């Protein structure tokens, strides 16, 4: 299972610090932090490579009063060369306790995807090719689901954000863009090494038809409940450095840098990722320290 080969393509938007943006891949995460959580991220991938991906993500999610329900809304703008996609999602979760320390959440996701193709960014051999047409906001709906089992120290989740295979700019013979079903498995554990130091290893496994298995392994240290530093390895693809600062109990800022380990490293200067997370706690007595995931 843990094997991989070189690939230069991707389906869903790729995030190095997915562990802070879990709702985008697993709807069961909605409301799991026990607070109103607002998240914004910008990723510039393969800097210096013409037409390289750029991604902007925004999400907001929260538990609903004292119920077992959580709700969230997320938005992703992904641009790759002449193609741009806007994805809007609504997530609903339902959580049940499985023990004194663990909870199991079930989630469903409703997606609306808008696909755009800018012909002016293409350089066709035949400028008069009638097949090359502008595409503006080609709409396709989708649904997804996930489960998320978690405590204060451990989490594991399995999800499929998109069950339906959608096609954009297509006829009976071909399509420029075809969305396949992506299956995600995530897990992580927080070790308390001493009162001022925690260590969290984490794993993401992503499977999609027609592409190599993607495995991300990471490790982060939380120092004095304020500073985070860590590293990650994407199997046969990239190594990453990560850092973060807990400005207040509710405000966290993070940065990540990827360096390719494939031949692609000869054509770009790496990838950058920066994000902000703001949280509003309704009951501060329940939050003794900031959550590490």
């Amino acid at each position: 299972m843990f094997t991989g080969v070189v690939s230069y393509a991707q389906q869903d938007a790729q995030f190095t610090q997915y562990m802070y943006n879990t709702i985008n891949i697993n709807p069961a995460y909605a409301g799991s932090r026990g607070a109103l959580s607002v998240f914004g991220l910008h990723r510039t991938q393969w800097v210096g490579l013409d037409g390289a991906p750029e991604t902007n993500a925004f999400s907001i999610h929260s538990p609903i009063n004292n119920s077992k329900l959580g709700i969230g809304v997320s938005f992703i703008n992904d641009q790759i060369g002449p193609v741009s996609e806007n994805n809007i999602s609504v997530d609903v979760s339902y959580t049940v306790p499985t023990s004194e320390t663990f909870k199991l959440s079930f989630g469903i996701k409703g997606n609306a995807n808008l696909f755009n193709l800018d012909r002016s960014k293409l350089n066709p051999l035949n400028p008069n090719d009638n097949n090359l047409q502008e595409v503006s906001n080609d709409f396709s709906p989708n649904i997804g689901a996930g489960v998320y089992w978690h405590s204060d120290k451990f989490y594991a989740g399995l999800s499929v954000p998109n069950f339906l295979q959608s096609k954009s700019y297509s006829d009976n013979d071909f399509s420029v863009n075809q969305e396949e079903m992506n299956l995600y498995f995530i897990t992580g554990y927080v070790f308390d090494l001493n009162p001022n130091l925690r260590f969290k290893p984490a794993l993401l496994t992503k499977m999609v038809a027609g592409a190599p298995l993607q495995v991300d392994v990471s490790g982060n240290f939380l120092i004095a409940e304020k500073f985070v530093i860590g590293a990650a390895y994407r199997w046969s693809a990239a190594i990453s450095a990560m850092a973060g600062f807990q400005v207040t109990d509710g405000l966290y800022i993070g940065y990540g840098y990827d360096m390719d380990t494939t031949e692609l490293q000869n054509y770009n200067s790496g990838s950058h990722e920066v994000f902000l997370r703001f949280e509003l706690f309704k009951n501060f007595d329940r939050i003794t320290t900031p959550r590490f995931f």
Side-chain angles (χ1 to χ4, degrees), residues 241-253:
M242 297 176 286
F245 178 55
Q246 191 78 45
V247 182
T248 66
D249 282 349
L251 181 62
Y252 181 82
I253 182 172

Side-chain angles (χ1 to χ4, degrees), residues 13 54-58 74-80 83-89 110-117 135-142 162 168 177 179:
E54 284 196 10
T55 305
N56 294 288
F58 173 82
S74 57
F75 170 80
I76 298 177
N77 170 258
D78 200 22
Q79 301 182 49
I80 305 176
V83 170
S84 68
E85 288 189 84
N86 294 306
N87 185 273
I88 303 171
S89 302
N111 295 312
N113 190 75
L114 301 173
F115 175 86
N116 298 272
L117 176 65
V135 179
S136 179
N137 293 328
D138 185 18
F139 172 76
S140 59
N142 219 312
N162 297 293
S168 299
N177 181 64
E179 178 74 20

Side-chain angles (χ1 to χ4, degrees), residues 147-163:
V147 293
Y148 184 66
W149 189 48
H150 58 101
S151 68
D152 288 339
K153 292 183 178 294
F154 172 83
Y155 68 88
L158 188 67
S159 60
V160 178
N162 297 293
F163 278 116

